[in-house]
Amino acid sequence: MERRKFLGSMAAGGLGLLGLPRAWADDSSIPVLFPVPTNTGISGRVVVVGGGMAGAAVAKYLRLWGGNGVTVFLVEASPSYTSNIMSNTVLTGQRTLASLNYGYDTLVSHYGVTRVNDRVSGIDRTGKRVALESGGSIDYDRLVLAPGLEFDLMPGMSNPNEYEALIPHAWKAGPQTQLLRNQLVAMSAGQNVVMTIPKAPYRCPPGPYERACVIADWLKKNKPGSRIIVLDANAGIVVEKDNFNRAFTVTHAGVVDYRPGCIVTDVNSASRVVSYNQVINSIPVATNAREQAAVLNPIPPQRAPLLLKDAGLLSTDPTKPFAPVDVLSYQSKVDPLIHVIGDASLTTQPKAGHIGNQQAKTCADAIVRLLSNQPLNAQVVTNSACYTPITSTTATWLAAVYQYDSASQTMVIPAQHNNGNAIAANAATTDNYQDMQTWFKTLMGDTFS
Ligand SMILES: Cc1cc2nc3c(=O)[nH]c(=O)nc-3n(C[C@H](O)[C@H](O)[C@H](O)COP(=O)(O)OP(=O)(O)OC[C@H]3O[C@@H](n4cnc5c(N)ncnc54)[C@H](O)[C@@H]3O)c2cc1C
């Protein structure tokens, strides 16, 4: 420890760190080998709302690249973050919720981010300030909104507490994930799980199919005779069609009952009965059909939080209730002093944690440029990787690289990359399962430490 402190003080002294933010300079347990953040001469005051995959990353990289003249407030409602990524494996008992918990200590102590544990209750665009639920407000030069999503009620529901107590969607990891796990454990062998999937766009395109696979795998071992019935509002499997089709019809044959084109008309949370109409290729296949579930997992329609709607930042297209942005900077198309990243933004990229991390870096770079009157980078590239467990030991993956297309002003997969399509693994393997653990650790490390 003494040697570490000595090396730290040598490095700090040699690089002139007297002007460090207090929180950072006071933490002598961190080996200081180079100054983070540096003094770049750039200054500004940025407020980030939401400390999830996108918000935590943008806060870190704003300090790393902007330097100690860029004051960054990270306003997050929860004391820590629970990762949605890998949360399907909590349902099968392979992970605990606690193992998916990430704190903000390093962002504060190492990067000098100012953490505010509060909920933003309103945005005053004219006054350039956000109101806090506990009272008070914070002024900004630039505001970054990364609050994720909110969930609508399913038809027939009257109260969001039905998700909390009876029919968990668990599409935001937390107590609902644990409740869904407990319900699966408590159901009798031979009874069925029913899951519903909303129309795209929704958070994590492969996520529902991944969940169907890992639950099916678990049912085979723990609840013989049980099935998972998947009522998909989409016309077919949305991504990785070949892999999931193989998983449903071969690997988990007879356990996954996949039904496309199912529009839910009623969810009774007390009796756990779902009513729906099924239409395939415009032809009605089932009208007012019903399924009785022992465990009901409705994944609801999703939209950007009301906070953004109230601030007038959302698209007027009711099928896309998210915030349109310029993808070179993630500036809102309505207010250029506000940036929207992660699931709340409306782009051509998937709503995924890996993409949220990438958008955060594009956004941090753009803000640093805007604060120092530099032109934006017009050759932005982002990449997305998504690993999907198919059984308790095998996984597939889906990867894509997006580039800025100046003609459409959107992010596109270039034609020379697999004819403009994402690339998928050609089989579920144990090697992919191992790679998934490394990918997850790296992504979370890059975001929170
Ligand atoms: C089951 C499942 C599996 C998934 N698997 C993958 C995967 O394998 N790969 C992948 O890339 N993605 C995956 N995802 C998707 C990924 O989790 C999301 O896309 C990602 O978390 C979105 O990041 P975000 O920062 O926009 O929102 P979030 O990560 O949800 O963070 C938003 C944060 O904002 C906070 N907040 C909200 N409103 C306020 C407010 N008013 N004031 C203060 N704080 C606020 C919230 O508390 C939250 O911490 C998965 C999702 C699910 C549900």
Side-chain angles (χ1 to χ4, degrees):
M1 179 53 102
E2 283 312 308
R3 184 168 164 272
R4 199 203 238 179
K5 273 189 185 161
F6 173 66
L7 284 174
S9 64
M10 285 263 292
L15 292 162
L17 295 184
L18 290 176
L20 282 173
R22 242 177 75 79
W24 187 83
D26 283 357
D27 191 340
S28 56
S29 66
I30 290 171
V32 183
L33 298 179
F34 59 93
V36 178
T38 51
N39 182 355
T40 62
I42 300 169
S43 63
R45 187 180 167 93
V46 184
V47 173
V48 179
V49 180
M53 297 305 296
V58 80
K60 166 180 165 177
Y61 281 92
L62 274 168
R63 291 286 294 179
L64 194 58
W65 295 338
N68 58 19
V70 180
T71 306
V72 178
F73 291 89
L74 177 61
V75 191
E76 164 58 51
S78 302
S80 61
Y81 179 70
T82 306
S83 169
N84 301 312
I85 307 178
M86 304 299 282
S87 66
N88 281 334
T89 57
V90 173
L91 304 178
T92 58
Q94 286 178 277
R95 269 186 177 266
T96 60
L97 260 188
S99 77
L100 298 177
N101 204 55
Y102 294 84
Y104 299 101
D105 290 355
T106 309
L107 295 187
V108 172
S109 62
H110 193 53
Y111 298 98
V113 170
T114 305
R115 163 115 175 81
V116 181
N117 188 186
D118 210 330
R119 176 171 289 279
V120 166
S121 53
I123 301 168
D124 173 0
R125 284 172 42 201
T126 314
K128 293 200 286 171
R129 70 177 69 91
V130 295
L132 301 177
E133 200 170 63
S134 66
S137 61
I138 311 178
D139 295 343
Y140 63 80
D141 295 327
R142 288 195 169 268
L143 176 63
V144 182
L145 298 175
L149 296 164
E150 283 174 2
F151 301 92
D152 283 331
L153 296 181
M154 301 287 293
M157 288 177 65
S158 56
N159 190 328
N161 287 338
E162 294 169 54
Y163 289 135
E164 304 297 330
L166 298 168
I167 48 166
H169 58 68
W171 217 238
K172 175 175 168 53
Q176 286 191 30
T177 315
Q178 193 59 55
L179 176 62
L180 186 52
R181 159 79 183 155
N182 296 347
Q183 290 183 344
L184 288 168
V185 170
M187 71 184 251
S188 302
Q191 292 186 312
N192 292 335
V193 180
V194 177
M195 175 202 286
T196 70
I197 304 178
K199 275 210 154 98
Y202 58 82
R203 163 178 279 177
C204 192
Y209 309 109
E210 163 186 311
R211 179 174 285 178
C213 286
V214 298
I215 289 181
D217 193 53
W218 184 85
L219 290 176
K220 277 191 265 186
K221 294 168 198 153
N222 296 280
K223 307 284 169 182
S226 292
R227 288 181 302 143
I228 174 161
I229 299 166
V230 182
L231 305 177
D232 191 345
N234 298 287
I237 295 169
V238 169
V239 281
E240 278 196 73
K241 282 193 180 60
D242 290 348
N243 282 334
F244 288 121
N245 196 33
R246 197 179 315 124
F248 292 171
T249 57
V250 180
T251 316
H252 302 305
V255 185
V256 177
D257 178 346
Y258 175 72
R259 303 178 193 172
C262 293
I263 305 299
V264 173
T265 53
D266 188 68
V267 167
N268 186 322
S269 59
S271 63
R272 297 196 172 93
V273 171
V274 185
S275 307
Y276 66 98
N277 297 325
Q278 187 178 21
V279 179
I280 297 179
N281 295 331
S282 309
I283 300 166
V285 175
T287 304
N288 213 9
R290 287 152 63 90
E291 279 302 336
Q292 169 75 59
V295 174
L296 178 52
N297 175 218
I299 302 175
Q302 299 154 35
R303 53 173 169 74
L306 280 180
L307 179 74
L308 280 76
K309 187 175 187 208
D310 292 346
L313 299 172
L314 299 195
S315 154
T316 48
D317 178 348
T319 64
K320 293 175 182 160
F322 302 98
V325 289
D326 171 354
V327 286
L328 290 184
S329 60
Y330 289 88
Q331 282 167 290
S332 154
K333 292 214 167 154
V334 176
D335 184 335
L337 294 182
I338 299 181
H339 303 245
V340 185
I341 54 175
D343 287 357
S345 65
L346 178 58
T347 78
T348 50
Q349 301 153 107
K351 296 193 182 301
H354 191 123
I355 277 287
N357 169 284
Q358 297 281 298
Q359 294 179 344
K361 289 172 186 164
T362 305
C363 178
D365 174 70
I367 290 177
V368 169
R369 287 167 187 264
L370 289 164
L371 289 176
S372 51
N373 296 317
Q374 300 294 315
L376 294 175
N377 174 17
Q379 290 174 337
V380 167
V381 176
T382 56
N383 67 73
S384 168
C386 215
Y387 281 87
T388 302
I390 298 293
T391 67
S392 61
T393 53
T394 63
T396 62
W397 50 260
L398 182 71
V401 174
Y402 295 83
Q403 282 178 5
Y404 182 68
D405 172 51
S406 54
S408 63
Q409 300 185 345
T410 61
M411 299 299 285
V412 298
I413 304 173
Q416 64 267 33
H417 288 197
N418 197 28
N419 294 324
N421 295 305
I423 303 174
N426 50 22
T429 67
T430 49
D431 276 359
N432 290 339
Y433 202 92
Q434 294 308 321
D435 290 347
M436 176 175 74
Q437 313 288 0
T438 310
W439 161 80
F440 177 62
K441 209 171 155 195
T442 310
L443 176 63
M444 300 315 279
D446 184 48
T447 305
F448 289 94
S449 55

